[in-house]
Amino acid sequence: MIEVQHLSKRYGPFTAVDDVSFSVGAGEILGFLGPNGAGKTTTMRIITGYMPASEGTVTVAGHDVFSDAIEAKKRTGYLPETPPLYPDMSVRDYVTFVARIKGVPSREVRGRVDAVMKKTHIADMASRHCGKLSKGYKQRVGLAQALIHNPDVLVLDEPTAGLDPKQIIEARQLITELGGNHTVVLSTHILPEVSQTCSRVVIIARGKVVAVDTPDNLTARLRGSETMYLQVAAPGADVTPALSAIAGITRVKAEAGANGLVAIEVDCEQGRDVRRELAATVVNHGWGLLELRPMRMSLEDIFLSLTTEDAGAPPADAAPAATEAANA
Amino acid sequence: MRNVITIARKELQSYFASPIAYVVIGFFALLFGYFFASLVYWFEQQSLQMTPGSGPPLNINQALIGPVFMNVSVIVLFVMPMITMRTYAEEKRSGTMELLLTSPLTDVQIILGKFLGALGLYAVMLAVTLIHVGVLFIYGSPEWKPIATVYLGLLLMGACFISAGLFISSLTKNQIVAGMVTFAVFLLLWVINWLGQSFGPTGQAVISHLSITEHLDDFARGIIDTKHVIYYLSFIVFGLFLTARSVDSERWRG
């Protein structure tokens, strides 16, 4: 549904997006992850036809967003980072206005407006001015605006930013429902959101795609080592040397807490189960073993390891586009 | 065309949803009323001082209506920046530009919509003066044709100001900057012929041709000269063209 090929965007000498390629199938929900300034918004703005690319092509439902812009825009709904509302317009007037400029046929406008306001739960605010809405309602009106012409493709730039926890859950549900009928591209900072709503993730850093995969695969693939978490009651004792001595353990990180409790993270070689040795060592030293469990590498850790500059090279198979230019 | 009308309606709606339209029209009416009253008073004095039979009576069209509407052009000069300064600057600041530019609209449709919206507000503003003209028709017998041409002239002149104002507004995110620059440009276009005298006859002709209000004189006399109509129309088209270029280049720069 969306084909992004060798997309680059330069502002003078600064490269915001550098040779980004990915594609999104019909009905798929694609998560777009990356730190601030990574080029997420720029990429989204190019997909929606807000700005042209310096190089590369983007097609939406077979229409090039630059040479066939009007047709592509008819099939795209876009919610920018700040909902593009006119503060002096009432919610109903605003959604009606958007319906008209998005090319909804005149006699369908009223019906579409009603349906979309119902779907996004803003009907109760229909006569309120957009400028007087709470952040949550503004976001929903923004979503209504993006949905009004029933587009094939929805591009949502941080759709849950600034919402309260209940609203976030509602927004996620709505987005999940939208997948299937629409192709959705969403960017976010909230990582659990990606594993909950997205079928695929694109991680972008410094303008380049560093990983494209499903959230589960990414988690599994990037677990280069296994990490165990222990909590031990060992007043006055130094646990690090004793644990480091166990065969197969590569790193021990101990952090002393209150009442002689020590929280320990232990990295060990992959595929090697050291839980028995760990337990035995703790007990033999007369310490109390309060907790011992394997730690899964969270999406957060993956995100950090992929997007932090000095984290070293990401695993080769996870990095189709990370090449020399990043360090140039 | 439907898109142009939709945008124009939205522009007009937003003028009237905010205090802008009411303040602009209200104070325009106040200033115009003052000028009108003082000129009527002056005209009355002149008429009374004339000895009967010494010549034709004062022509109400030339001696009163002409000067009144030349004064309108001065008020418009002050008022128009307030109308145009927000057109693009506000959209850029509030992020609604993203909505317009990602909708299936062409730049030309957006520009024409905004242009017609501002022109609509200006027309409403001018319509207020019909009351005063109506008073003249009740107590005097002016000719209506020169009045019609002066309205045509004022509409064309206002449209010029709007096209220039749109362009300036499209250059910045800041309404105050847009307003101040627009005002300075309008004022310069108005007084540019003062400088003309020091450039010799040819220079003066060229410079006074550039002056935006100079072209209004003939309309006030009831003359529709194609020279002036073409000046105004080409000014409008040029202003809108510059706006289109500015919006497009903004898009590339991001």
Side-chain angles (χ1 to χ4, degrees), chain A residues 299-319:
Chain A
L299 210 48
E300 233 126 326
D301 300 321
I302 295 166
F303 177 67
L304 281 174
S305 74
L306 282 175
T307 55
T308 313
E309 201 131 7
D310 52 8
D317 57 345

Side-chain angles (χ1 to χ4, degrees), chain A residues 137-262:
Chain A
Y137 268 104
K138 280 185 182 163
Q139 201 72 24
R140 277 188 259 170
V141 175
L143 202 55
Q145 163 274 125
L147 282 170
I148 188 73
H149 53 308
N150 202 15
D152 296 335
V153 169
L154 266 176
V155 179
L156 312 172
D157 199 350
E158 297 187 21
T160 56
L163 301 183
D164 69 35
K166 187 166 162 281
Q167 292 167 334
I168 289 178
I169 292 167
E170 286 170 4
R172 279 182 204 158
Q173 267 168 1
L174 185 60
I175 292 166
T176 318
E177 283 166 30
L178 293 172
N181 295 323
H182 308 266
T183 304
V184 183
V185 176
L186 65 90
S187 76
T188 179
H189 286 305
I190 307 163
L191 297 156
E193 188 162 289
V194 172
S195 40
Q196 283 172 26
T197 54
C198 301
S199 46
R200 240 159 24 107
V201 186
V202 171
I203 296 182
I204 185 169
R206 298 178 301 282
K208 288 169 165 296
V209 171
V210 291
V212 185
D213 215 329
T214 63
D216 287 344
N217 279 352
L218 270 181
T219 316
R221 186 188 279 182
L222 280 141
R223 270 166 65 198
S225 60
E226 313 244 352
T227 308
M228 296 291 162
Y229 175 81
L230 292 93
Q231 201 181 29
V232 170
D238 188 6
V239 297
T240 313
L243 294 178
S244 302
I246 301 169
I249 283 181
T250 54
R251 186 182 70 104
V252 176
K253 191 179 131 210
E255 209 167 290
N259 305 328
L261 293 180
V262 188

Side-chain angles (χ1 to χ4, degrees), chain A residues 19-56:
Chain A
D19 196 25
V20 164
S21 302
F22 61 90
S23 65
V24 194
E28 204 177 355
I29 302 181
L30 180 86
F32 219 48
L33 274 180
N36 282 327
K40 294 188 304 272
T41 299
T42 305
T43 309
M44 290 186 148
R45 283 178 162 181
I46 295 170
I47 294 174
T48 54
Y50 177 70
M51 52 168 65
S54 306
E55 268 164 41

Side-chain angles (χ1 to χ4, degrees), chain B residues 28-248:
Chain B
F28 171 79
L30 179 74
L31 290 169
F32 179 79
Y34 177 78
F35 282 125
F36 180 78
S38 58
L39 278 164
V40 166
Y41 178 72
W42 175 85
F43 179 76
E44 203 179 34
Q45 296 290 310
Q46 293 287 311
S47 309
L48 289 175
Q49 276 166 20
M50 287 187 69
T51 40
S54 69
L58 274 179
N59 180 319
I60 192 168
N61 280 91
Q62 266 175 31
L64 179 60
I65 296 173
V68 161
F69 281 101
M70 290 317 281
N71 280 316
V72 171
S73 69
V74 181
I75 311 174
V76 170
L77 183 83
F78 284 89
V79 166
M80 204 56 106
M82 324 273 177
I83 297 179
T84 60
M85 67 185 196
R86 56 188 292 287
T87 44
Y88 271 98
E90 174 74 12
E91 302 256 14
K92 283 197 221 171
R93 198 189 52 78
S94 68
T96 45
M97 205 61 198
E98 276 189 85
L99 170 66
L100 295 182
L101 292 188
T102 56
S103 295
L105 304 168
T106 62
D107 287 354
V108 172
Q109 287 170 339
I110 300 173
I111 292 165
L112 283 181
K114 286 184 171 295
F115 174 75
L116 290 179
L119 196 62
L121 178 62
Y122 175 64
V124 173
M125 202 170 93
L126 280 186
V128 170
T129 66
L130 288 172
I131 300 168
H132 307 77
V133 175
V135 170
L136 291 183
F137 271 99
I138 294 169
Y139 292 101
S141 50
E143 279 192 65
W144 68 268
K145 281 177 194 156
I147 297 179
T149 59
V150 87
Y151 273 108
L152 176 69
L154 280 173
L155 267 181
L156 284 170
M157 185 198 70
C160 287
F161 280 148
I162 292 169
S163 78
L166 271 182
F167 168 58
I168 294 163
S169 183
S170 74
L171 296 173
T172 174
K173 264 185 193 174
N174 189 316
Q175 289 192 40
I176 305 295
V177 170
M180 188 59 220
V181 174
T182 310
F183 177 65
V185 169
F186 288 180
L187 196 60
L188 277 175
L189 281 173
W190 187 52
V191 299
I192 200 166
N193 50 346
W194 292 2
L195 206 61
Q197 283 140 6
S198 60
F199 284 96
T202 323
Q204 187 171 2
V206 169
I207 285 185
S208 75
H209 188 74
L210 287 176
S211 166
I212 205 160
T213 43
E214 193 76 14
H215 295 271
L216 201 60
D217 288 346
D218 276 344
F219 285 103
R221 284 193 215 105
I223 302 162
I224 302 178
D225 190 333
T226 43
K227 181 175 83 181
H228 302 312
V229 175
I230 286 170
Y231 167 83
Y232 281 138
L233 290 180
S234 51
F235 192 110
I236 294 165
V237 171
F238 186 58
L240 296 180
F241 168 77
L242 286 180
T243 313
R245 300 316 306 156
S246 154
V247 172
D248 197 43

Side-chain angles (χ1 to χ4, degrees), chain A residues 54-112:
Chain A
S54 306
E55 268 164 41
T57 56
V58 179
T59 57
V60 170
H63 300 277
D64 187 284
V65 295
F66 186 66
S67 59
D68 198 5
I70 298 288
E71 287 305 311
K73 285 174 184 175
K74 275 183 190 162
R75 291 164 177 79
T76 313
Y78 177 39
L79 172 61
E81 213 168 333
T82 39
L85 308 179
Y86 291 103
D88 290 328
M89 264 186 174
S90 77
V91 170
R92 174 175 282 282
D93 285 350
Y94 172 73
V95 180
T96 308
F97 166 69
V98 178
R100 291 216 181 90
I101 60 170
K102 296 283 183 186
V104 176
S106 300
R107 63 202 134 66
E108 290 171 30
V109 166
R110 182 176 267 274
R112 280 298 300 163

